[in-house]
Amino acid sequence: MHRCFRFPLLRALAGSLLLLAAAAPPAQAQSAPAVTAAAAGTRNFPPDAQRGKLVIGTMPEVMLNGKPIRTTPGFRLFSPEGRLLMAYQFAGQNLLVNYVIEPSTQWLHTAWVLTPEEAALKRP
């Protein structure tokens, strides 16, 4: 007993799906940009990013521009190459960063360690 003969609607639906799959355009590969922003010396930062000096203390406590501030539970610190850094490895070091403060808690949410080229550019 063949069930597909008993359900012509199901057989028609399967056939139409095969036709749609065959008629779909082939997937196109996306080409990577020739030069990434990090390789060009600058990155695109959020418009609300500010600049300051960050000194990592005992997490979640840090000093930002000489004032104590807490970091959010999801705090992220990025290297000049765009890699995620473990903040505790930079305890006590002065880091020139662009940073974003989380609006509801006023805690430090994200910071990017700057390259010399990025540090030379002025923030709006």
Side-chain angles (χ1 to χ4, degrees):
M1 173 163 113
H2 296 283
R3 291 187 184 258
C4 61
F5 291 120
R6 297 186 102 193
F7 300 106
L9 181 62
L10 184 61
R11 192 171 72 194
L13 180 63
S16 64
L17 285 175
L18 284 174
L19 285 174
L20 282 174
Q28 298 283 330
Q30 294 181 355
S31 61
V35 177
T36 63
T42 60
R43 293 173 278 183
N44 292 324
F45 297 105
D48 60 339
Q50 303 171 42
R51 179 153 309 151
K53 292 190 181 196
L54 176 68
V55 179
I56 306 291
T58 305
M59 294 301 286
E61 302 294 329
V62 298
M63 296 289 281
L64 186 60
N65 297 325
K67 298 178 183 174
I69 188 171
R70 291 182 60 96
T71 58
T72 61
F75 172 69
R76 297 174 298 167
L77 178 64
F78 291 101
S79 74
E81 296 81 27
R83 286 185 246 132
L84 190 61
L85 299 173
M86 298 294 115
Y88 70 87
Q89 294 177 329
F90 298 93
Q93 295 182 25
N94 286 322
L95 303 171
L96 184 60
V97 297
N98 280 353
Y99 63 92
V100 174
I101 299 292
E102 205 282 318
S104 65
T105 61
Q106 295 299 306
W107 291 351
L108 181 62
H109 181 60
T110 307
W112 296 267
V113 178
L114 300 178
T115 64
E117 295 84 15
E118 291 168 339
L121 298 173
K122 300 293 181 202
R123 291 293 303 159

